[in-house]
Amino acid sequence: MTDKPTKSDWHEKAAKEVKGRDLTWHTPEGIAVQPLYTAEDTDGLDPGLPGFAPFTRGPYASMYTGRPWTIRQYAGFSTAEESNAFYRRNLAAGQKGLSVAFDLATHRGYDSDHPRVVGDVGKAGVAIDTVRDMEILFDQIPLDAMSVSMTMNGAVIPVMAFYIVAAERAGVPREKLSGTIQNDILKEFMVRNTYIYPPEPSMRIVSDIIAYTSQHMPRFNSISISGYHMHEAGATAVQELAFTIADGKEYAKRAMEAGLDIDAFAPRLSFFWGIGMNFFMEIAKMRAARALWHDVMDGLGAQNPKSKMLRTHCQTSGVSLQEQDPYNNVIRTTVEALAAVLGGTQSLHTNALDEAIALPTDFSARIARNTQLVLQEETGITNVADPLGGSYYVESLTSALVEEARKLLDEVEAAGGMTAYVASGAPKAAIEEAAAAKQASVDKGETVIVGVNKYRRDAEDDIDTLDIDNHAVRESQIARLRDVRAGRDEEACQAALAAVTAGARATDNLLALAVEAARADATLGEISAAMEEAFGRYDTVPQPVKGVYSAAYEGDDRYQQVVDGVQAVARRLEHAPRILVAKMGQDGHDRGANVIASAFADIGFEVISGPLFQTPEETAKMALEHDVDAVGASSLAAGHKTLIPELIQHLRDAGRADIKVVAGGVIPPQDYEFLKSAGVQGIYGPGTNVVEAAADLLRLLGHNMPPAGEEIEGET
């Protein structure tokens, strides 16, 4: 009788078949993935059952066998009227919950008539300045029956107040409102940057919202602790897990320090994960998160099982979407959606195929929504709770993620908790380093992106995109602001705003005070400014990491060719070529800008990183002060047609038309000619090889830089 072959027998045979090569793959998290998993790898691992602690296999016993996940598409653009019409069309077509995207002016606490937000109004979400806007946004949508999620952190107090008062005016008391407010400010200081106030008063706001909703809104989730934006900024799965769980722990501790009982608020905490293309890693990440959160809440003294139960929304990755061959994005989103579902999400947003280029059209939004309907209705995956539970690979990967995340959680704890850790800059730097390493891997072709760095088409298909008339939206918002201010009791409004400032300086609940101000028709900008008077406004300058690109490209001929080209330009200019990497407008997504700054600095450019949220005039002034040779404008929020031409005009007015202006980010191809005619000399969309972008800029600076693979004639 022949003995049953062991795992080591298989490894030996497989290795011989590929001539002794090591088949182990190391993930960006540093986890070694074997080519085969067996029962040996899960010996001693007990994932438990769905609905039972530590909830690794899901928060509910029945999971989707009783009810599928909620289809909650994140959307909002232009005016409240346009967004309301879009919501109602989607709800009629099968969407089950609302998820509101606000424009950047709203996120940053500015009314639409503020001079700093000229290019931002209505571009990356819906503009909300007043309670009247919120009433229009939810017109004919039953707020006592419809769950509403709102992605808001910086201006969270006035937005929550407007939602409560708009519902009141529609006859729905706050007790009947259900949904989630993101209210996750710590991750804003790490990655997304739509903060307004410094960290400490921002944390006080989080606690005030938890306290208010715990007392008055029993069906409403007071916070959605978000790893999604860390994922999009380039975090590894371990970083996203550990930093997000640590954020949640910090919020819970702050609420307890404010006198709240943990079991009074913890059951209404929820999470939000980004789902990328490493299919099994994403499934394991969600399972690991539930185990980690259970242990954290148990350690804080929670008694109610619901306090220890991690419930989550998920969104497929935006950064995995590509401008090139964009119909591939439908496939990417489907794979990511399936990972979220197999990981046990409670609700899901699926990105549209054109979101690497512009806001989604009705056509692309329908495909994104129907992706979820097909998964729910046609695949049979809702018939079994945690169908991958017990998988040798998935259970091993889940265990490895838990182990690695705990190491990072211990590091956070040793630093004094997440607020102190964020203030140290350590998590932001770690995420930026991971992002730069990933981009270098893509640029070198080690990480394959189909249609981008492999299987590239000779020519791209034209694709229709949605364009928002920023000027028209802003004018309509200004007109409504004017009407609201003219029709209110000004004395009562000013008194309510003064009470907000006084409460900010004391310990009164800020959401309760803001609700009174909203009832008096104070605007979002006015309520934000009333708190800013007490707290101040927080600003920061990016500090990109160094050395990642140079290490990744060590020994690479093309990289060295570009480095040599920079040195040649430096000899001619008598200084290293200087580039200002600028973020104009209120968009805080700075991954692209930081990757460019890191890579260009390693290549030899002198890089000046501009502060976030600059106006075009401020950017031009900084370019002149530093005597730069080029300005690289990073745009991810559709303000490029307003902000970049204004920057170029300021430079021309100053007599410095010689400064080259290039642009990168989410820019629809049909806008390229508009920007070029305005004076933009280079445009680099998603999928651009960063080293080749540097080579192109050298050409613009007058250097004879050949295409990749060719030698420089007569020059070394």
Side-chain angles (χ1 to χ4, degrees), residues 43 56 99 179 181 293 297 304 320 343 390 401 408 495 514 580 612 620 634 682 707:
D43 187 35
T56 307
S99 184
I181 187 75
W293 184 243
M297 297 307 285
N304 185 347
S320 72
L401 280 172
L408 202 44
L580 169 61
L612 299 175
S634 173

Side-chain angles (χ1 to χ4, degrees), residues 239-503:
Q239 290 169 339
E240 183 185 357
L241 262 180
F243 295 155
T244 307
I245 295 294
D247 282 351
K249 181 178 182 180
E250 189 84 346
Y251 295 135
K253 288 172 67 177
R254 290 299 184 104
M256 292 167 69
E257 289 167 6
L260 293 176
D261 174 58
I262 189 170
D263 288 316
F265 67 84
R268 303 309 303 176
L269 302 179
S270 67
F271 284 76
F272 175 26
W273 303 108
I275 306 297
M277 285 297 289
N278 189 342
F279 184 72
F280 290 104
M281 182 67 77
E282 298 299 340
I283 295 167
K285 179 180 76 180
M286 296 176 66
R287 300 170 93 255
R290 289 191 289 268
L292 288 164
W293 184 243
H294 170 272
D295 291 351
V296 164
M297 297 307 285
D298 197 50
L300 290 177
Q303 300 298 314
N304 185 347
K306 291 184 178 179
S307 298
K308 308 175 190 181
M309 184 188 295
L310 185 151
R311 296 160 302 105
T312 191
H313 173 71
C314 288
Q315 181 173 339
T316 59
S317 173
V319 77
S320 72
L321 303 179
Q322 303 299 324
E323 178 187 68
Q324 295 81 6
D325 206 359
Y327 290 103
N328 289 339
N329 292 334
V330 177
I331 304 160
R332 294 184 178 104
T333 294
T334 303
V335 169
E336 292 167 351
L338 183 58
V341 171
L342 292 176
T345 191
Q346 279 59 72
S347 63
L348 178 62
H349 167 94
T350 33
N351 286 332
L353 66 95
D354 48 2
E355 288 187 62
I357 307 167
L359 290 168
T361 61
D362 278 358
F363 169 76
S364 66
R366 177 172 61 84
I367 294 173
R369 182 190 62 249
N370 287 353
T371 299
Q372 296 196 52
L373 290 173
V374 169
L375 289 176
Q376 286 188 354
E377 304 287 349
E378 298 186 24
T379 63
I381 59 176
T382 61
N383 297 331
V384 178
D386 189 30
L388 291 182
S391 156
Y392 301 142
Y393 179 33
V394 170
E395 298 299 355
S396 298
L397 201 51
T398 301
S399 177
L401 280 172
V402 168
E403 182 180 347
E404 292 302 314
R406 280 185 175 143
K407 294 176 185 175
L408 202 44
L409 282 165
D410 289 344
E411 187 177 310
V412 173
E413 200 66 23
M418 201 58 186
T419 302
Y421 198 61
V422 167
S424 75
K428 185 175 181 67
I431 291 171
E432 288 177 4
E433 186 171 332
K438 181 172 183 179
Q439 186 61 48
S441 178
V442 170
D443 287 349
K444 292 180 70 180
E446 296 168 348
T447 296
V448 172
I449 310 293
V450 173
V452 177
N453 62 3
K454 196 173 185 180
Y455 313 112
R456 184 73 181 263
R457 302 183 70 193
D458 293 333
E460 300 292 340
D461 293 329
D462 291 333
I463 184 169
D464 291 332
T465 56
L466 180 66
D467 187 29
I468 303 297
D469 187 341
N470 163 242
H471 296 289
V473 175
R474 187 165 183 265
E475 287 305 313
S476 71
Q477 288 299 120
I478 290 172
R480 186 174 296 145
L481 273 164
R482 193 182 302 120
D483 291 344
V484 167
R485 287 173 179 145
R488 70 191 183 188
D489 181 335
E490 193 62 30
E491 185 176 346
C493 180
Q494 293 305 320
L497 289 169
V500 171
T501 301

Side-chain angles (χ1 to χ4, degrees), residues 181-202:
I181 187 75
Q182 191 162 98
N183 193 28
D184 176 10
I185 201 63
L186 282 174
K187 69 100 171 53
E188 298 295 327
F189 292 108
M190 277 188 275
V191 288
R192 190 164 177 251
N193 301 311
T194 55
Y195 43 69
I196 300 175
Y197 315 109
E200 278 302 327
S202 296

